[in-house]
Amino acid sequence: MNICSEVHTPNYKIIYKSVKGSDYQPEWLVCENCHEKRYFGNLEDIVSIEPIE
């Protein structure tokens, strides 16, 4: 599992599409600020976004 920054508090778990020919789907824990700035790919690349409680 990847995280946007160790000093940020994750708010979302984002799962992205795998690369063609691979079953691996990257998962990221992302804070509100990084998610809003779209540092982590386009909306077309996202499989799911789940809020973290």
Side-chain angles (χ1 to χ4, degrees):
M1 185 97 41
N2 301 299
I3 189 166
C4 61
S5 175
E6 291 182 15
V7 296
H8 296 176
T9 302
N11 295 97
Y12 300 102
K13 176 181 174 185
I14 304 176
I15 300 175
Y16 291 93
K17 291 180 184 177
S18 60
V19 187
K20 206 177 234 182
S22 173
D23 292 333
Y24 172 70
Q25 290 185 314
E27 296 182 10
W28 282 82
L29 298 179
V30 180
C31 73
E32 186 81 30
N33 290 333
C34 290
H35 174 61
E36 287 179 3
K37 294 178 182 175
R38 296 285 175 235
Y39 290 141
F40 294 91
N42 299 321
L43 293 177
E44 299 85 37
D45 297 331
I46 296 174
V47 174
S48 69
I49 301 175
E50 300 173 16
I52 298 173
E53 297 180 17

